[in-house]
Structure formats: C-alpha cells, structure tokens
C-alpha cells in the first residue's frame, strides 16, 4: 500500500516538475487592463532558432528594459513596442524600436533549468516618457533584499495566450492579481528545481496563472517589480502548478552593476 502511494505521489510530482520552454508562458483567466494603466509593461518579439518568440518586459531605465534571458538567448535582435494597449493597432501612444541588438544576458543563464533567467536590453537612446502611456517601474532596493514577499498579492500582465488550447494571442494587455507563495510551497512540486533565487505565485487561485507569450513580464508588488516571469508546468497553465519567476532581490547586485 505504501509503495503504491509513493508511486502515485512521485508521478504527480514528476508531472508538475516538467518545465516550459522559453515560449510557453501566457496569462490565464486574467482581465483586460484599463488602457495604459500599466505603462511600464513592454511588448517584445524576437526570432530564436527560426521560431518567433513573444515576450514581455519592463522599462526600468529610459534606455534599459528588463526581461527574461530566455527571451533573448540566441536571438540576433528584438523588436520592441512601448506604450501599447492593443498591439494589433497602430495606437498614437506606441513607441516602436525595431531590431535592438545590445543585450546583457546573465553570464550563468542555463536554458535547461532557467537558472539565472534575467537579462537587459540596452537601448541606443532614451525613450520618451509622455502622456502617462510610457513610464518606469522601480526595482527592489538594498533594504528589500531580506524580503520574501510570501503571502503578498502580486500583479503580472502581458499579451500572451489566455488558455492552453487557443492558438491565438491576446491583442490587448491583460493582467492577473495572484498571491506569492512561500519558497517550500513552490520548490517541492518542481522536485526541488526551484531555488531561493526564484519567486513563485500560486497556481490554484481561481485557475489564474502565467503560462506562450509572457516570459519576461514583470511581477509587481505595491508598485515595485519583484520578479520576472520565467516558467511553469509543461502540462498546462491550469493544472495547479505554481508560476515561477526570477527573484529580483537575488539579483540586486547584478542589476546594480549593469544598469546605466
């Protein structure tokens, strides 16, 4: 009996531990945001190994965008849209940059495990901050390093798919508000692949989750970005597995060294 229970638990944990590739994140069961109410969110699109990869990012300096390393790794360039709500329309608020090539990818990024999944896009010039449609988001301070954010309510937004089966992406920016969970509640379902340099949100809160199109999107708590969307379960966004993000407090010194 006990051996059978062990086998069942092992199978369940193995299923939950499967990891998304760089293009497997999306917003599920989210809501359309009020247009331009999250002016720091950035749309990114690149080509990696012949495949178009859609991602999110955040404007943290007027000439630097924070995103996931998985969105840029082996990409030659990336197209960027700031100030957007509906990316399929030519909105007057949009500021577009085609073919940015100057990336700072964490030197220890590991594609197979998504360890150190963090990167910066370095722009040639400052982007305009105007009309409330483009704005900066703050990142954690040195004093924030000790914070775990466990049980805090986080907000994440992007233009990814809205469910596991729909082949199309959301043309408008959508968001979810979701609870951050303690480290142990996240690393156990993923067979201890999650490390303390990552931060997780619950996968069981009204089936909301990150899941194709939202890697690199910012996780924000009380106006400060605390995470970068990284990966989730390979079996879908609604199976109840936590969403995993790069924890920015763990990369405070990396960011400080690489910010302009």
């Amino acid at each position: 009996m006990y051996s059978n229970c062990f086998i069942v638990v092992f199978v369940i944990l193995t299923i939950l531990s499967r990891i998304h590739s760089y293009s497997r994140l999306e917003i599920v069961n989210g809501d359309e945001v009020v247009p331009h109410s999250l002016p720091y969110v950035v749309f990114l699109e690149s080509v990696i190994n012949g495949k178009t990869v859609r991602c999110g990012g955040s404007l943290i300096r007027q000439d630097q965008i924070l995103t996931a390393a998985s969105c840029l790794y082996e990409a030659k360039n990336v197209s960027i849209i700031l100030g957007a709500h509906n990316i399929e329309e030519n909105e007057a608020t949009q500021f577009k940059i085609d073919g940015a090539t100057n990336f700072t990818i964490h030197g220890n990024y590991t594609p197979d495990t998504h360890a150190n999944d963090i990167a910066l896009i370095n722009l040639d010039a400052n982007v305009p901050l105007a009309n409330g449609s483009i704005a900066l988001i703050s990142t954690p301070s040195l004093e924030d390093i000790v914070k775990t954010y466990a049980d805090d309510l986080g907000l994440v937004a992007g233009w990814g798919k809205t469910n596991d089966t729909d082949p199309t992406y959301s043309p408008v920016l959508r968001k979810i508000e979701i609870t951050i969970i303690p480290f142990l509640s996240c690393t156990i379902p993923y067979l201890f692949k999650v490390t303390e340099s990552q931060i997780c949100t619950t996968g069981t809160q009204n089936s909301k989750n990150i899941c194709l199109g939202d890697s690199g999107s910012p996780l924000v708590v009380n106006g400060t970005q605390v995470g970068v969307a990284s990966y989730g379960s390979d079996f879908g966004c609604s199976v109840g597995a936590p969403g995993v993000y790069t924890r920015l407090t763990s990369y405070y010194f990396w960011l400080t060294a690489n910010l302009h």
Side-chain angles (χ1 to χ4, degrees):
M1 177 178 177
Y2 290 109
S3 61
N4 290 338
C5 290
F6 175 81
I7 291 171
V8 170
V9 171
F10 178 79
V11 169
I12 292 173
L13 290 176
T14 301
I15 289 173
L16 292 180
S17 70
R18 295 280 300 276
I19 295 177
H20 280 302
S21 66
Y22 51 74
S23 63
R24 288 288 300 170
L25 290 183
E26 62 204 53
I27 293 293
V28 173
N29 290 321
D31 300 307
E32 181 177 351
V33 308
V34 175
H36 313 299
S37 60
L38 303 177
Y40 54 85
V41 183
V42 180
F43 175 81
L44 305 174
E45 192 171 78
S46 60
V47 177
I48 300 177
N49 297 324
K51 295 181 179 180
T52 299
V53 176
R54 185 169 175 157
C55 282
S58 56
L59 188 67
I60 60 172
R61 294 288 188 275
Q62 278 191 258
D63 61 349
Q64 287 186 295
I65 293 168
L66 178 62
T67 188
S70 51
C71 295
L72 303 174
Y73 187 71
E74 297 186 338
K76 293 182 178 180
N77 57 66
V78 61
S79 296
I80 303 165
I81 306 178
L82 302 101
H85 178 66
N86 189 327
I87 57 171
E88 294 183 0
E89 295 182 357
N90 190 21
E91 300 166 319
T93 56
Q94 292 182 7
F95 186 85
K96 298 181 180 181
I97 302 171
D98 293 324
T101 59
N102 187 355
F103 312 145
T104 303
I105 297 174
H106 195 286
N108 293 324
Y109 169 61
T110 307
D112 290 343
T113 64
H114 286 262
N116 305 300
D117 194 8
I118 187 170
L120 291 165
I121 302 171
N122 308 303
L123 306 177
D124 294 335
N126 288 351
V127 300
L129 306 180
N131 301 322
S133 58
I134 302 176
L136 304 180
I137 183 71
S138 63
T139 55
S141 65
L142 181 60
E143 291 75 18
D144 293 328
I145 286 180
V146 297
K147 293 182 179 179
T148 67
Y149 301 101
D151 300 320
D152 284 350
L153 188 66
L155 183 149
V156 61
W159 289 271
K161 293 185 177 181
T162 58
N163 60 64
D164 291 317
T165 59
D166 191 342
T168 62
Y169 294 86
S170 174
V172 298
L173 185 62
R174 302 179 69 85
K175 69 176 182 179
I176 53 173
E177 292 182 290
I178 193 165
T179 302
I180 295 170
I181 59 176
F183 170 68
L184 285 178
S185 299
C186 186
T187 193
I188 291 174
Y190 284 101
L191 297 181
F192 303 99
K193 291 178 181 179
V194 175
T195 70
E196 292 186 352
S197 63
Q198 293 164 319
I199 189 169
C200 300
T201 55
T202 178
T204 60
Q205 188 172 319
N206 299 321
S207 297
K208 296 179 180 180
N209 214 332
I210 56 168
C211 194
L212 197 42
D214 259 359
S215 295
S217 292
L219 174 66
V220 174
V221 173
N222 296 327
T224 297
Q225 182 174 351
V226 302
V228 176
S230 185
Y231 67 86
S233 171
D234 201 34
F235 285 86
C237 309
S238 303
V239 298
V244 184
Y245 306 72
T246 302
R247 181 187 292 272
L248 291 190
T249 53
S250 298
Y251 294 89
Y252 172 83
F253 295 105
W254 183 88
L255 278 173
T256 301
N258 287 285
L259 290 177
H260 293 164

